[in-house]
Amino acid sequence: MIALRSGATILPMAHWGGEKFGKNLRSLKRTDFHVKVGQPFRLQVEEMVTIILRDKEYEVRSGMTLLSALKKIDILPEAVIATRGGELIEEDEILREGETIKLVAVISGG
Amino acid sequence: MKCRTCGKKASVNMRQHKLALCKEHYLEWLPAQVERFIQKYRMFAHDEKILVAVSGGKDSLSLWDILHYLGYQADGLYICLGIDSSTSLGASGGADYSAESQRLAEQFAAGHGLKLHIVNVQEQTGKTIPEWAEASLRGRGKPCSVCGLVKRHVMNRIARDLGYDVLATGHNLDDEAAVLFGNTLTWSGEYLLRQGPVLPATSGLARKVKPLFRLYEREMLAYALLRGIEYIYDECPFALGSTSIYYKELLNKLENDRPGAKLAFYLSFLEARKKGLFAEQEQVQQELHPCPNCGQPTSAPGLCSFCRMVKH
């Protein structure tokens, strides 16, 4: 979480061999220690998609279909129509990074 | 998903029909469907005068838009119920609901050059709908019953007084299926016999029709959005938590798992009734008497429910 928030570079390292130290000591053997250093990397924040229905806002991962996103936030697809920038979109539409999808409730009026 | 007609990207997918259409073809398809239902169920002809009851919602405004597009002589009727922040009986979100609905109905009429009749319930009867609900036994705490009574009375009166042949309302399939579901749960035989897309004219009552009765509420919303019709999005504050909305939500869950279930439920009901599944029509049909005050037909001799409420 610290690396994610600070954006710091992560250097992956591993060591092994030490677990045999006690056993080797009893039989007066040397113990080899191993250290491996991997490639440095940074954690990237995955771009989210904002979904708005009336006064509620939800966030889902980008790259999923509208249908999957609606299932994830527990909204019945039958009960809403989704719009992207005023255009109607259908359930198989892939949601893009950083965009906002506005849902219009089907039931309205008196 | 691609439009079945032109292969372009689809805007609306109707799973119950296995049909996806782009904006252009959807806006052609839906009015054509409405025209087909008007003809099939013999609702009205092009030479008849139609009064469309408009509430400012998506269904009634879309219906008016479609009838105008199809070349029918359709005027609008808006009934101002007086639901606002000061008379909302504690309902939340009721601020100026009626004023906003009226503004949208007027805006639509002006934008399309259509004639709109406006009736203000408070000016005509002395009280708003919430006030009538408080004053009468019919609707203590919940004015929906009073609202329905007043709206039916006003719609009939205006249609009759101004010489309209037919009164059209924007009830869609979801509205009809929810009412049917409620009546089926209680096996209200009399209501089941009366429910239908066309109620023939009787002495003192204009013919009532529901040209959108086979179209899903979702389809009507898509039409309103694609046509750019500005409508009142908020629920009536008194409709929040109502059983009709609960039934609609239940039916939507069913529809989600079994596309076409709502349509089949309603159409098979009409078919079953036609085949005589319910009681013989003659046995339950009541004799109607004219109300001595307003002249509208009523089931019992004497004043009708509306006049009784207003007089007391």
Side-chain angles (χ1 to χ4, degrees):
Chain A
M1 188 56 80
I2 293 169
L4 186 68
R5 290 203 176 158
S6 64
T9 304
I10 297 171
L11 195 62
M13 291 178 72
H15 74 89
W16 68 95
E19 71 278 4
K20 295 178 185 168
F21 181 74
K23 192 182 163 192
N24 290 344
L25 190 66
R26 281 196 291 278
S27 53
L28 299 172
K29 281 185 181 172
R30 289 171 189 243
T31 302
D32 290 333
F33 283 81
H34 304 271
V35 175
K36 183 97 178 171
V37 180
Q39 293 295 315
F41 69 96
R42 280 185 181 169
L43 288 177
Q44 283 186 336
V45 181
E46 197 164 10
E47 284 288 340
M48 303 299 277
V49 176
T50 307
I51 298 180
I52 301 174
L53 175 61
R54 293 197 189 270
D55 53 355
K56 281 190 182 165
E57 270 194 25
Y58 306 86
E59 287 220 321
V60 295
R61 288 197 325 272
S62 58
M64 64 168 78
T65 63
L66 172 66
L67 183 62
S68 307
L70 291 177
K71 278 185 183 167
K72 199 166 178 59
I73 57 177
D74 203 21
I75 288 177
L76 199 64
E78 201 60 38
V80 291
I81 283 185
T83 62
R84 172 194 280 149
E87 296 288 318
L88 272 55
I89 58 167
E90 269 310 318
E91 292 173 352
D92 58 347
E93 192 78 19
I94 305 286
L95 304 185
R96 302 173 199 148
E97 291 179 1
E99 71 176 347
T100 299
I101 301 293
K102 196 178 164 209
L103 302 178
V104 187
V106 166
I107 302 174
S108 69
Chain B
M1 210 169 291
K2 289 182 177 175
C3 171
R4 187 195 278 181
T5 309
C6 67
K8 280 187 202 161
K9 193 175 170 187
S11 292
V12 187
N13 178 31
M14 292 160 284
R15 293 197 304 154
Q16 71 277 19
H17 300 310
K18 295 188 175 69
L19 176 67
L21 293 171
C22 66
K23 177 181 175 178
E24 182 192 345
H25 289 110
Y26 185 73
L27 292 178
E28 284 175 8
W29 176 84
L30 195 131
Q33 290 297 303
V34 175
E35 177 71 62
R36 189 164 74 85
F37 302 142
I38 290 169
Q39 303 300 328
K40 182 174 179 178
Y41 295 89
R42 294 181 185 155
M43 293 185 180
F44 43 78
H46 276 272
D47 58 356
E48 287 185 294
K49 275 179 73 187
I50 304 153
L51 183 65
V52 183
V54 289
S55 64
K58 64 183 184 307
D59 301 299
S60 55
L61 289 179
S62 295
L63 172 63
W64 203 8
D65 185 71
I66 293 164
L67 293 181
H68 176 58
Y69 170 81
L70 294 172
Y72 286 100
Q73 309 170 51
D75 295 340
L77 166 65
Y78 176 81
I79 303 171
C80 181
L81 307 167
I83 296 173
D84 59 35
S85 50
S86 62
T87 55
S88 61
L89 280 177
S92 59
D96 303 327
Y97 179 79
S98 289
E100 181 61 6
S101 308
Q102 183 171 338
R103 185 189 71 76
L104 292 166
E106 286 176 326
Q107 176 183 289
F108 182 89
H112 291 73
L114 295 167
K115 187 177 183 181
L116 177 68
H117 304 283
I118 295 175
V119 173
N120 189 310
V121 172
Q122 189 175 26
E123 285 170 14
Q124 300 257 320
T125 66
K127 287 187 176 74
T128 64
I129 292 292
E131 285 166 356
W132 275 120
E134 277 191 331
S136 78
L137 288 171
R138 187 173 264 268
R140 287 274 160 85
K142 196 82 178 164
C144 304
S145 169
V146 170
C147 184
L149 172 72
V150 172
K151 281 197 285 195
R152 281 192 297 276
H153 182 88
V154 172
M155 286 190 292
N156 282 325
R157 182 171 61 76
I158 298 291
R160 187 192 60 187
D161 291 355
L162 301 181
Y164 286 96
D165 300 299
V166 59
L167 177 65
T169 57
H171 292 97
N172 57 48
L173 181 85
D174 293 43
D175 297 323
E176 293 298 289
V179 171
L180 174 61
F181 187 63
N183 288 338
T184 308
L185 284 181
T186 51
W187 289 113
S188 307
E190 214 180 306
Y191 290 124
L192 287 167
L193 269 170
R194 268 189 284 171
Q195 188 182 352
V198 180
L199 299 177
T202 53
S203 55
L205 286 181
R207 188 186 334 143
K208 280 187 200 154
V209 297
K210 300 165 185 173
L212 308 180
F213 83 104
R214 285 185 58 160
L215 293 158
Y216 281 39
E217 190 156 12
R218 196 170 189 275
E219 291 170 358
M220 292 318 302
L221 172 61
Y223 181 84
L225 292 174
L226 290 174
R227 282 282 294 153
I229 294 171
E230 207 185 329
Y231 66 93
I232 185 119
Y233 182 50
D234 291 328
E235 285 287 341
C236 168
F238 294 110
L240 294 171
S242 68
T243 33
S244 63
I245 290 181
Y246 175 61
Y247 291 157
K248 279 186 182 181
E249 287 167 353
L250 284 179
L251 290 168
N252 274 344
K253 282 182 188 163
L254 178 68
E255 182 72 26
N256 197 54
D257 296 336
R258 304 189 58 170
K262 279 190 292 197
L263 187 60
F265 176 53
Y266 190 71
L267 291 184
S268 52
F269 153 72
L270 291 182
E271 196 57 35
R273 191 179 58 182
K274 205 169 147 192
K275 288 180 181 167
L277 178 71
F278 304 103
E280 287 293 318
Q281 191 116 13
E282 290 77 21
Q283 288 176 0
V284 289
Q285 218 167 30
Q286 291 173 319
E287 201 183 327
L288 296 174
H289 312 268
C291 168
N293 189 47
C294 69
Q296 289 197 22
T298 177
S299 52
L303 293 174
C304 69
S305 310
F306 176 82
C307 293
R308 272 205 311 275
M309 183 184 83
V310 174
K311 292 243 168 187
H312 289 98

